[in-house]
Amino acid sequence: PLAALQAFSFIALLQSQAILAPLGAFDLITNIIIITAGSVLLMWIGELISEFGVGNGVSFIIFAGIVAALPGAITQLVALYDPSQIPTYIGLLVVTIAVVYGIVFVNEAERPVPIAYAKQNQGGQSKSGVATYIPLRVAQAGVMPIIFAISILLIPQMVVNFIAGISTGVFVTTLVEWVTYFLATQWLYMLVYFVLVFGFTYFYTAITFDPEKMAENLQKSGAFVPGVRPGEATEKYLGSIVTRLTLIAAIFLGAVAILPLLLQQASGITALSIGGTALLIVVAVIIDVVKRIDAQAAMRQY
C-alpha cells in the first residue's frame, strides 16, 4: 500500500512539472502497478543480499544509488570549474572530511553506564558479583529523524499541487503563494527543517529506548547501577542520561541535515553531496560492513 501511494504521488509530481503527459485511468493504474512491482522486487533483492551477503541488503541498495550519483556530481563540478574558486573547493573538501569524521565519531560514540551483579549462591557455591557496563549509544535514532523530517516537508508541496490541480480560487491561490514563499525562503525552510529533525530525534529515541523496561530487566537479573536504587530510581537515572545524549544527537543531526543548504548558499555551488541523509547512510553502511567482515574473519579464525 505504501509503494502504491508513493507511486501515485510520484506520477502526480511528474505530471505537475510537465515531465509526464496526463494519463488516463488505465495508464495510471498500469504505471502504479509497474512502480509498485519494482519496489517489491528491490525489497526481495535486498532480503536475498541480507540472507546470503554481508550487511543489510536494503541499505546496500540505497548505498549503491547514492554512490552511483557521485560521478555525475563530480562531472558537474568539473564542468563548472573556475580557477578563482579554488579556495572554495579546498574549503568544501575540508568540510567534507570534517563531516565524515563527525558522523563516524557520533555514530560510534557510547556512554557506558556501570552496573554490578549482586553476590549469588547457586548449587551450594557462592559467586561473587561481576562489574560490567551498559553501552548507551549517543545516536540511537540513526538516520530516521532526517527521513521523517523530509517526508513532512514534502507533504505541503504535494497537497498544494493536488489542490491546485482540482480546484481554483482565492484560497487556493493564497495557499500556493504561502507554500511557494516557504520553499523559496531558505532561512525559514532550514529553520523548520532543523526543528523537525531535532524533534523527531527525541520522538524516535523515545520509541526505540524504554528505560522502564531496561530497569526492570536489570532488577530481574540481579543487576544494579552502583549508587542508584533498583526500580524507579534506576529508570529515572537511565532516562536522564538518554535525554542528555539525545540532545547532542539531535543538534548534530539537525546541523548535518541543513549543512548542504548552508554550503550552497555560502559557495553558490549547487552540485553538492555533502551532509544530509545520503552521507549518513553511506558512512553507516560502510561502518556496518567493516564490522561484519571483521566478525566473519574472527569467527573463521576461531
Side-chain angles (χ1 to χ4, degrees):
L2 288 174
L5 180 62
Q6 289 252 341
F8 174 78
S9 304
F10 185 59
I11 293 171
L13 181 63
L14 293 179
Q15 287 179 337
S16 66
Q17 296 176 349
I19 298 175
L20 194 64
L23 300 175
F26 178 77
D27 292 334
L28 179 62
I29 294 174
T30 303
N31 279 276
I32 290 176
I33 292 174
I34 291 172
I35 296 174
T36 305
S39 302
V40 175
L41 176 64
L42 284 175
M43 288 171 58
W44 178 65
I45 293 174
E47 292 298 323
L48 289 179
I49 295 174
S50 299
E51 185 176 355
F52 298 106
V54 179
N56 187 289
V58 177
S59 297
F60 262 118
I61 294 174
I62 299 174
F63 171 83
I66 295 170
V67 174
L70 290 179
I74 295 174
T75 302
Q76 187 176 353
L77 283 174
V78 172
L80 298 175
Y81 173 73
D82 184 2
S84 63
Q85 288 193 326
I86 290 180
T88 303
Y89 297 146
I90 296 175
L92 291 176
L93 180 62
V94 172
V95 170
T96 303
I97 296 173
V99 169
V100 172
Y101 177 82
I103 291 175
V104 174
F105 182 81
V106 174
N107 192 64
E108 295 298 293
E110 294 177 346
R111 162 69 157 84
V113 177
I115 62 171
Y117 286 88
K119 189 175 181 180
Q120 298 177 349
N121 294 318
Q122 293 181 352
Q125 294 182 348
S126 177
K127 293 185 178 181
S128 60
V130 179
T132 181
Y133 69 93
I134 301 174
L136 296 180
R137 292 184 58 198
V138 174
Q140 296 198 40
V143 75
M144 294 305 297
I146 296 181
I147 296 176
F148 286 156
I150 292 175
S151 302
I152 296 297
L153 288 173
L154 287 177
I155 289 176
Q157 185 179 2
M158 293 175 59
V159 171
V160 167
N161 288 337
F162 179 75
I163 295 176
I166 63 174
S167 176
T168 57
V170 179
F171 173 74
V172 175
T173 304
T174 306
L175 187 62
V176 171
E177 289 178 354
W178 284 353
V179 173
T180 304
Y181 174 78
F182 168 71
L183 295 175
T185 310
Q186 285 284 356
W187 63 267
L188 180 60
Y189 182 86
M190 286 188 291
L191 178 62
V192 174
Y193 193 9
F194 182 89
V195 171
L196 285 175
V197 172
F198 190 93
F200 278 124
T201 303
Y202 273 95
F203 173 74
Y204 195 79
T205 303
I207 292 176
T208 56
F209 181 82
D210 186 3
E212 181 180 359
K213 189 71 174 177
M214 180 170 286
E216 182 182 343
N217 292 336
L218 288 175
Q219 191 172 10
K220 287 181 179 179
S221 61
F224 61 94
V225 179
V228 181
R229 292 178 63 87
E232 186 178 351
T234 301
E235 176 190 341
K236 291 182 179 179
Y237 177 74
L238 295 175
S240 64
I241 292 177
V242 172
T243 300
R244 294 196 296 269
L245 294 178
T246 306
L247 175 63
I248 299 173
I251 294 174
F252 178 78
L253 285 177
V256 171
I258 66 173
L259 183 62
L261 303 175
L262 292 174
L263 291 177
Q264 287 175 11
Q265 282 197 334
S267 64
I269 300 174
T270 58
L272 292 175
S273 301
I274 303 173
T277 312
L279 194 53
L280 280 169
I281 292 175
V282 168
V283 174
V285 170
I286 292 176
I287 291 174
D288 182 58
V289 170
V290 170
K291 285 183 177 180
R292 289 175 182 266
I293 291 176
D294 288 343
Q296 290 284 342
M299 184 177 67
R300 292 179 183 275
Q301 180 181 358
Y302 285 114

